[in-house]
DNA sequence: ATCTTTCTAGTTTTT
DNA sequence: CTAGAAAGAT
């Protein structure tokens, strides 16, 4: 049965009528008899979260506790009880995927397709919508373009150059980073604090930010940050506009509240001041985006920000075994900045569930091999590869797994690589479409003016820029003028004239052709398709295929403009691969997903927790890393395998690593520490000097590995680490930084190595060898057994 | 204007 | 080590 259009619901007055079970509203929504049945499917806490409709509500939803169910049922409940019409509900998410899922699931609940919920979307899409409505209030026109990261960087490069600043010393990327930070905090150029202004180019940061914003206005463009910042400005400075939205939004719902940044928070708070009916759902323990502006504080402070708020905890977990939950809970309990929840499960099949496995490998290749073997075993037992994931801290870790799986012939897919709309060929094609749709889009024009090569080089582009600036016209107009002069070579002039003529021709066809046909014509006539056909590179056929896919995907839109708007906001084009394959992804991209079996490799100090995060953010950084570990473990339904490797190649250098402190924070009761025999046996490792470990059980069923003990000592404040009885290897010479008594940073001291070429040395991984070259503290050594390698001096010793 | 060599920096990522 | 970008050579 498909539900009647929701707009048929009775029109409520200022105070919507109380719910009337079986009333017109409920029946129109297809909720007649089953009006209460959707509530019956909830547990008591979930039900409370759905039925507490008035006033501010914070739902602390732990991993796997039915967060989306609460959110969607709450919306359905608001609609079913006639409390609000679809367009009176503001529901914000972070990702398009989440927005889509919410829409679909509410649709399922009301028994049809959800229509009229025009304010359900991502922060950015709703921001864009607000901004288009009131663009003129901040100096934009409603049809503004939304710039992607690429465009932003190119624009900033121009601005930095225009200021006469050396772009090498002050890279545009860095400026982009600062501007992003400022926008995340809701700061316009004038609000940037003195301390921050000095962070870039000797205090010219603020000026560059202002220049960038000016330039955006001239281009009638907005970047992603503006989609939040500008609406905030509008709401702040225009009480009448704000009052209008207060009237409009009877109820507000926010997903993943722990990921909101300051600007988003301010935005929500302003809007919520109207009716105070704001419901935020989130999990402070899963806040892992601090580095891109998310403020855990927003969720920690909720009760202060919204006095009288109801806080509801969802702790009943429907996903994982008690062992997995026990391990994750014990780990996350080490964080101080948290509201505190403890997940539990009703599952009683614990007798045959596994504890969380912890094991080690000699190096990253060994690690990949061990995981590969484990997966093959699971596969033999009939497990689906689709139910297995490998979650890494940093993407460089993926490589060893890919290499291994290729040799094994094991199906895998990497999640979160370059997205469809970020690919070069797609961006180029889109740039053509943008110039057709919006001739003044200088950034798009610049991108494709010489792609494919038509002999319009840097010199000509500079000429165009100068003229455009002098005349205050778009580049394409400047080009049109320039071809009438003799300032450029005849050959270049012809090329430019042809290009402009082509754009005029395509523009003339906009109203006469279907936009998909026009798109094809543009790609053909511009020579763009031909360019890739002529390219002999291995990936060109794939690129051509992508271009076809792009044109196909335009079919779902009714105009070129509509399509472009979609693309700039929806940067994901997820094609659900159906083949059975192991998923490899970062911990960050795993948030929100779940698998039967999860492998968590690389739990080593420096990598996880990441040294850089520790150095830059100290204790807060450490807690965020710990939350990442928590997210990782809680992705598993039945099995979690945590691993660390003793040796890892980082930036081309072999480094010995210490097991992650997080391993120490797991409860023994829920953990199964296994000695990985391949660590010390096989692979001819004995030949490299590892044999001295042979007759020892390095774990003795507790964490007693050499590196582990060293880690313990370091944490206790012991000065130089020694290997206490485990041979004569000495760890890296290090300087340590303590914060509140806890080791947060440890960096290797650089300086002269003190070694000379020709010296014989011993290395724990590679054995004996002779130094053949020295570069600072990096040594090139010709090993007797392992060949020539580059290693840090602190990992070898004189023999 | 384009091809080749040199240099440099090097988590995490959505919109 | 290694990818990507900028400087230098043709």
């Amino acid at each position: 049965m498909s539900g009647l259009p929701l707009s048929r619901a009775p029109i409520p007055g200022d105070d919507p009528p109380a719910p009337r079970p079986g009333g017109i509203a409920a029946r129109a929504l297809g909720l007649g008899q089953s009006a209460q049945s959707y509530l019956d499917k909830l547990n008591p806490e979930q039900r409370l979260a759905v039925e507490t409709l008035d006033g501010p509500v914070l739902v602390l939803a732990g991993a796997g506790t039915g967060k989306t169910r609460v959110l969607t049922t709450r919306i359905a409940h608001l609609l079913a009880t006639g409390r609000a019409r679809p367009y009176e509900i503001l529901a914000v998410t972070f990702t398009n995927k989440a927005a889509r899922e919410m829409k679909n699931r509410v649709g399922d609940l009301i028994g049809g397709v959800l229509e009229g919920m025009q304010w359900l979307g991502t922060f950015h899409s709703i921001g864009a919508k607000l901004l288009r409505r009131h663009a003129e209030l901040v100096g934009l026109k409603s049809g503004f373009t939304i710039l992607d990261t690429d465009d932003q960087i190119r624009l900033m490069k121009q601005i930095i150059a225009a200021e006469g600043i050396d772009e090498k010393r002050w890279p545009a990327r860095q400026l982009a980073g600062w501007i992003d930070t400022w926008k995340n905090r809701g700061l316009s150029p004038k609000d940037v604090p003195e301390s921050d202004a000095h962070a870039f180019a000797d205090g010219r940061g603020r000026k560059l930010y202002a220049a960038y914003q000016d330039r955006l206005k001239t281009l009638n463009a907005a970047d992603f940050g503006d989609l939040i910042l500008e609406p905030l400005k509008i709401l702040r400075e225009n009480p009448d506009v704000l009052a209008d939205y207060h009237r409009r939004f009877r109820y507000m719902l926010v997903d993943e509240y722990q990921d909101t940044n300051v600007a988003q928070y301010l935005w929500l708070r302003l809007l919520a001041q109207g009716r105070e009916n704001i419901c935020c759902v989130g999990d402070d323990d899963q806040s892992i985006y601090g580095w891109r502006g998310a403020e855990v504080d927003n969720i920690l402070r909720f009760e202060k920000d919204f006095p009288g708020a109801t806080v509801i905890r969802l702790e009943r977990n429907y996903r994982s075994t008690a062992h997995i939950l026990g391990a994750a809970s014990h780990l996350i309990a080490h964080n101080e900045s948290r509201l505190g929840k403890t997940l539990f499960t009703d599952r009683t099949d614990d007798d045959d569930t596994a504890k969380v496995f912890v094991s080690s490998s000699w190096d990253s290749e060994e690690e990949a091999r061990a995981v590969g073997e484990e997966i093959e075993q699971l596969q033999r037992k009939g497990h689906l590869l689709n139910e297995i994931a490998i979650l890494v801290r940093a993407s460089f870790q993926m490589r060893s797994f890919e290499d291994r799986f290729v040799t094994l012939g094991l199906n895998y897919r990497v999640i979160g690589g370059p997205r469809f709309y970020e690919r070069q060929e797609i961006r180029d094609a889109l740039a053509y479409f943008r110039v057709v749709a919006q001739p003044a889009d200088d950034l798009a024009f610049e991108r494709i003016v010489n792609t494919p090569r038509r002999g319009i080089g840097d010199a000509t582009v500079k000429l165009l820029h100068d003229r455009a600036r002098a005349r205050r016209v778009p580049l394409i107009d400047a080009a049109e003028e320039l071809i009438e002069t003799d300032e450029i070579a005849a050959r270049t002039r012809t090329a430019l004239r042809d290009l402009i003529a082509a754009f005029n021709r395509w523009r003339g066809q906009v109203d006469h052709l279907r936009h998909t046909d026009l798109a094809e014509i543009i790609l053909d006539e511009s020579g763009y398709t031909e360019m890739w056909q002529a390219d002999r590179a291995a990936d060109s056929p794939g690129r051509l295929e992508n271009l076809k896919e792009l044109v196909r995907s335009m079919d779902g839109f009714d105009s070129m403009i509509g399509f472009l708007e979609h693309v700039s906001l929806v940067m994901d084009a997820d094609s659900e691969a159906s083949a059975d394959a192991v998923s490899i992804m970062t911990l960050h991209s795993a948030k929100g997903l779940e698998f039967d079996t999860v492998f968590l490799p690389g739990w080593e100090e420096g990598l996880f927790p990441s040294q850089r995060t520790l150095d830059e953010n100290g204790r807060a950084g450490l807690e965020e890393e710990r939350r990442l570990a928590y997210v990782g473990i809680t992705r598993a339904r039945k099995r979690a395998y945590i691993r660390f490797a003793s040796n890892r190649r980082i930036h081309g250098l072999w480094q010995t690593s210490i097991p992650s402190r997080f391993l120490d924070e797991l409860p023994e009761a829920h953990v199964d520490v296994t000695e990985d025999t391949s660590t010390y046996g096989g692979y001819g490792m004995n030949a490299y000097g590892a044999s001295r470990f042979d007759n020892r059980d390095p774990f003795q069923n507790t964490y007693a590995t050499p590196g582990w003990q060293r880690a313990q000592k370091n944490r206790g404040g012991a000065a130089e680490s020694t290997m206490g009885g485990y041979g004569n290897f000495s760890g890296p010479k290090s300087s340590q930084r303590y914060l509140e008594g806890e080791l947060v940073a440890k960096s290797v001291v650089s300086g002269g190595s003190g070694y000379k070429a020709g010296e014989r040395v011993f290395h724990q991984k590679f054995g004996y060898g002779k130094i053949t070259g020295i570069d600072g503290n990096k040594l090139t050594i010709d090993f007797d057994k392992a060949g020539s390698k580059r290693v840090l001096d602190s990992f070898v010793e004189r023999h």
Side-chain angles (χ1 to χ4, degrees), chain A residues 592-606:
Chain A
L593 305 178
E594 54 183 292
F595 301 88
D596 282 343
T597 307
V598 165
F599 288 90
L600 301 162
W603 282 41
E604 295 132 40
E605 282 296 301

Side-chain angles (χ1 to χ4, degrees), chain A residues 557-736:
Chain A
F557 297 83
D558 38 47
S559 72
M560 188 80 95
I561 303 237
F563 177 69
L564 289 173
E565 168 80 6
H566 165 83
V567 163
S568 44
L569 288 170
V570 183
M571 292 300 274
D572 69 340
D574 51 351
S575 46
E576 279 296 313
S578 49
D580 191 34
V582 177
S583 300
I584 304 178
M585 68 187 95
T586 63
L587 287 161
H588 282 93
S589 36
K591 197 175 87 170
L593 305 178
E594 54 183 292
F595 301 88
D596 282 343
T597 307
V598 165
F599 288 90
L600 301 162
W603 282 41
E604 295 132 40
E605 282 296 301
L607 176 58
F608 189 39
S610 144
Q611 190 62 60
R612 195 156 159 184
T613 302
L614 261 38
D615 287 343
E616 285 168 11
N617 301 313
R619 166 142 220 125
L622 175 61
E623 297 212 342
E624 182 155 312
E625 294 284 304
R626 192 177 280 120
R627 292 193 288 266
L628 208 42
Y630 173 79
V631 167
I633 298 172
T634 54
R635 296 311 93 195
R637 283 194 280 258
K638 297 175 184 157
R639 283 170 294 276
Y641 295 82
I642 301 176
R643 309 194 60 96
F644 64 91
S646 315
N647 295 282
R648 196 173 285 279
R649 201 169 52 184
I650 292 168
H651 305 331
L653 294 170
W654 280 100
Q655 298 201 226
T656 296
S657 36
I658 297 170
S660 171
R661 69 189 74 185
F662 297 151
L663 290 165
D664 202 22
E665 297 173 356
L666 297 169
E668 297 221 20
H670 296 295
V671 171
D672 205 343
V673 180
T674 324
E675 183 192 352
D676 187 340
T677 49
S678 65
T679 302
Y680 304 118
Y683 200 44
M685 268 306 154
N686 292 346
Y688 296 153
S691 57
R692 76 177 71 98
F693 295 114
D694 277 356
N695 46 12
R696 288 187 186 267
D697 173 4
F699 290 99
Q700 290 152 6
N701 217 23
T702 130
Y703 309 119
T705 114
W708 190 277
Q709 294 188 335
R710 190 143 46 98
Q712 300 285 24
K713 275 192 185 148
N714 281 346
R715 230 168 298 155
E720 180 56 39
S721 51
T722 57
M723 296 291 285
Y726 281 97
N728 53 2
F729 172 77
S730 82
K733 300 162 188 77
S734 58
S735 74
Q736 294 159 2

